[in-house]
Amino acid sequence: MDREKDRVNVTHDSLPDPDTGLSEEERQRLNKALMRKLDWNLVPWVSLLYLISFLDRANIGNAKIYGLEKDLHMTDLQYNIGLTLFFIPYSIIEPLTNLALKRMRPKLFLSLIMVTWAICLTCMGFIHNFAGLCAARFFLGLTEAGLFPGVNYYLSCWYRRKELGIRAAVFFSAAAFAGSFGGLLAAAIAEMDGIGGKPGWAWIFIVEGLATLAVGVATYWMVADFPHKATFLSPDERSRVLYRLQQDKQSSASHEKTQNAHVKQALTDWKTYFYMAIYGGCAGSLYAFSLFLPTIIKELGIVHTATHANLLSVPSYTAAVVMTIVIGWYADKSQKRGMCNLAMSVLAMVGFIMMLASNKPGVKYAGTYLIALGIYPTIPNTITWVSNNTEGVSKRGIVLGMVIGWGNLNGIVSSNIYRSQDAPRFILGHSVMIAYLAVFLFGGSLATTLLLRIENRRRRKGLRNRLVENKTEAEIEILGDKVYVLPRQSMSGLKLTSLGPTLFTPLDGLEMAGR
């Protein structure tokens, strides 16, 4: 069957209002019921998937303090190489994964990658040397690559821009929860030490790998496809989802074929590279924190066992879960995502400075809380910022892949800056992370915020109207966020050869497509 022909051909101006004739109160009631239905059917399961993926990539940090390095006769450098090898295929393949998800059914794509990475993780429990670790980590990175950009892209095909931030925050808060849950789980699984002749660290990989395999198989039945084929919605509800996206100047992802123009737009848009810098700042910091937190806590001298170190990492992650959701809610309400990034980056920098400047274990441990509170909310906030300001589902998928891929490539740096010889102060690691936060996250967010304000001012004055003069609606459509025109209903009667500034949507000062 020709899959493209099987898809519904939907354009921004082709969908009728499914609620014509209803009062405003009835519309609001139906929309609230629809949102509850979407939230319960979409967000919990994809959040579980990300919890598992982050648990599976970061559990090597827990395994290390249970003797992984010693049992495999590895040096500290070799361990860091093993960490690094995960990020190389993970980052390179990410820009391509959204194209694969778009061509395949989401449920098939997500279940397929989960089953394959579950096999890779389980195999890590049977390795005997450094070479085995390298091979397993490489293929784990290769197979995990599609989940995070894929789910963010997938959610953007269901929710309007002002609704996406809180959902992305709940989804990503699973990563923080994985940090706390991972420490507890690792401590429990490590008690299997000696069973079957396997050390405790090996059982961490085996048990978690088998659990991932089971969830991966179930995912095929638990994940819905794109809106126009969602079986959990009635025909009217499907129409309502698509109409809401149309009114928000978005598409549902099912109809638009990827064209060379979309690729060119993604590669030539200045916002793409500024967002890559911003995301590199928060992702690099996140990986350094999550991979080495148990080691850092153990070196503080306030605990004497690996289990205690894992348990003391739990509270900071728990606090990060709450802050991530709070910032997601506030950013949706205020549409000031740039300002949220600036505030959170300062909080994280203060935490790293406390770790770097003080010799008191209590002060350093308090610093881990500020780091977690500052870093974790910036990941979903930045991804939502990218999604909101990138119009055209094909371009959005490519840009998200580029941004997330580049950010995760910085995990290579994160994997190599916390060295055993630098314990207990880890001056190199903390200093590099402060630089990452100051230059990329804070500096990038500030520059992007200011440039978007300038661009919005130009659009309000009508200085971008020349881009749509003498163009057909189809030609305007392909311009995407270069113009971000009003919905077609608002253009009725306007002549595209003579336009005033009212053609362009009134925009938030910090976002080009915040409404």
Side-chain angles (χ1 to χ4, degrees):
M1 179 182 295
D2 187 339
R3 192 172 297 276
E4 289 295 341
K5 291 181 180 179
D6 186 48
R7 292 173 177 166
V8 174
N9 185 21
V10 182
T11 61
H12 286 303
D13 54 340
S14 66
L15 295 175
D17 184 352
D19 300 324
T20 300
L22 297 182
S23 66
E24 186 60 29
E25 291 75 14
E26 290 174 315
R27 284 175 177 270
Q28 290 181 3
R29 179 178 58 80
L30 289 173
N31 278 326
K32 287 180 179 179
L34 178 64
M35 293 302 295
R36 286 194 298 269
K37 198 167 188 179
L38 293 181
D39 289 343
W40 280 110
N41 282 275
L42 300 176
V43 179
W45 193 262
V46 295
S47 299
L48 173 64
L49 302 189
Y50 193 58
L51 183 153
I52 291 172
S53 76
F54 206 86
L55 192 68
D56 291 351
R57 81 185 62 168
N59 58 14
I60 191 171
N62 302 116
K64 179 186 178 183
I65 61 176
Y66 284 108
L68 169 71
E69 234 179 16
K70 180 181 178 181
D71 290 348
L72 297 184
H73 309 290
M74 293 192 307
T75 65
D76 189 48
L77 176 61
Q78 288 176 320
Y79 173 78
N80 288 343
I81 291 173
L83 296 183
T84 301
L85 283 172
F86 172 91
F87 294 103
I88 296 174
Y90 187 85
S91 304
I92 293 174
I93 201 70
E94 272 188 320
L96 305 176
T97 55
N98 280 347
L99 297 179
L101 181 144
K102 187 171 181 293
R103 293 185 65 86
M104 300 170 64
R105 299 166 64 192
K107 61 171 57 182
L108 177 60
F109 177 80
L110 295 176
S111 60
L112 180 63
I113 64 172
M114 282 201 75
V115 168
T116 53
W117 98 54
I119 294 171
C120 295
L121 180 64
T122 305
C123 289
M124 287 182 64
F126 298 92
I127 58 177
H128 300 287
N129 52 40
F130 170 61
L133 176 68
C134 288
R137 289 288 294 180
F138 179 88
F139 285 105
L140 183 65
L142 183 68
T143 50
E144 269 200 47
L147 185 74
F148 186 62
V151 171
N152 279 286
Y153 172 64
Y154 173 69
L155 290 178
S156 74
C157 297
W158 288 85
Y159 293 100
R160 294 184 296 180
R161 291 179 175 89
K162 66 180 182 181
E163 300 162 348
L164 183 60
I166 184 63
R167 277 83 188 177
V170 171
F171 163 63
F172 184 75
S173 67
F177 185 68
S180 59
F181 177 67
L184 296 171
L185 184 60
I189 297 175
E191 294 298 317
M192 297 175 66
D193 183 45
I195 295 178
K198 293 288 182 183
W201 62 261
W203 281 112
I204 292 175
F205 297 132
I206 294 170
V207 172
E208 293 182 9
L210 293 175
T212 300
L213 181 63
V215 174
V217 172
T219 293
Y220 185 82
W221 289 274
M222 296 300 295
V223 170
D225 285 325
F226 289 122
H228 76 287
K229 287 187 176 181
T231 57
F232 70 91
L233 297 177
S234 68
D236 283 347
E237 289 170 333
R238 288 197 291 269
S239 298
R240 193 168 295 117
V241 170
L242 295 173
Y243 184 76
R244 293 171 79 255
L245 293 173
Q246 170 188 280
Q247 293 303 102
D248 199 44
K249 191 65 173 63
Q250 294 193 81
S251 304
S252 68
S254 59
H255 75 282
E256 183 181 273
K257 292 183 180 180
T258 303
Q259 303 176 21
N260 290 336
H262 300 132
V263 178
K264 182 180 179 181
Q265 284 181 15
L267 294 176
T268 57
D269 191 340
W270 66 267
K271 301 191 304 297
T272 301
Y273 300 98
F274 275 71
Y275 285 133
M276 286 170 68
I278 295 169
Y279 194 73
C282 47
S285 306
L286 173 74
Y287 283 122
F289 182 77
S290 61
L291 289 171
F292 291 98
L293 181 60
T295 300
I296 292 170
I297 291 178
K298 189 177 180 182
E299 294 294 340
L300 293 180
I302 56 179
V303 297
H304 302 288
T305 68
T307 297
H308 288 161
N310 273 327
L311 294 178
L312 276 182
S313 69
V314 172
S316 59
Y317 283 118
T318 304
V321 171
V322 177
M323 180 64 85
T324 298
I325 295 174
V326 168
I327 292 298
W329 169 83
Y330 175 76
D332 271 355
K333 183 178 178 65
S334 67
Q335 294 292 287
K336 294 181 179 179
R337 304 194 190 280
M339 298 302 294
C340 289
N341 267 8
L342 293 174
M344 293 298 99
S345 63
V346 171
L347 192 64
M349 280 189 281
V350 171
F352 274 113
I353 291 171
M354 291 169 63
M355 298 279 286
L356 185 63
S358 178
N359 288 320
K360 297 180 179 180
V363 174
K364 289 188 173 185
Y365 184 60
T368 65
Y369 282 80
L370 297 185
I371 295 168
L373 290 171
I375 292 175
Y376 276 85
T378 63
I379 299 287
N381 186 59
T382 300
I383 293 301
T384 306
W385 202 8
V386 175
S387 183
N388 281 4
N389 289 335
T390 308
E391 177 51 33
V393 289
S394 294
K395 179 184 176 183
R396 189 186 311 139
I398 296 167
V399 171
L400 281 172
M402 291 175 64
V403 170
I404 296 172
W406 170 254
N408 288 324
L409 194 61
N410 287 271
I412 295 174
V413 177
S414 306
S415 302
N416 290 281
I417 56 175
Y418 283 91
R419 307 173 303 179
S420 295
Q421 63 263 38
D422 297 332
R425 296 195 64 189
F426 295 108
I427 293 176
L428 174 65
H430 298 332
S431 299
V432 171
M433 287 301 99
I434 292 171
Y436 255 71
L437 292 166
V439 176
F440 297 119
L441 183 53
F442 184 90
S445 296
L446 179 61
T448 302
T449 296
L450 295 177
L451 289 171
L452 290 181
R453 283 180 170 177
I454 294 171
E455 175 63 20
N456 290 334
R457 194 175 302 121
R458 289 171 177 168
R459 295 183 180 206
R460 290 190 180 100
K461 291 180 179 179
L463 300 180
R464 292 290 184 254
N465 290 357
R466 60 182 176 77
L467 296 175
V468 296
E469 289 178 355
N470 301 314
K471 285 185 170 59
T472 65
E473 290 188 6
E475 289 172 331
I476 294 174
E477 189 81 20
I478 201 69
L479 291 174
D481 56 76
K482 276 190 174 182
V483 294
Y484 190 66
V485 296
L486 290 169
R488 292 291 176 252
Q489 294 88 334
S490 302
M491 293 175 60
S492 177
L494 290 174
K495 294 182 180 179
L496 299 185
T497 56
S498 178
L499 301 173
T502 56
L503 173 66
F504 294 91
T505 302
L507 305 173
D508 187 280
L510 301 181
E511 290 194 357
M512 293 170 55
R515 300 179 190 276

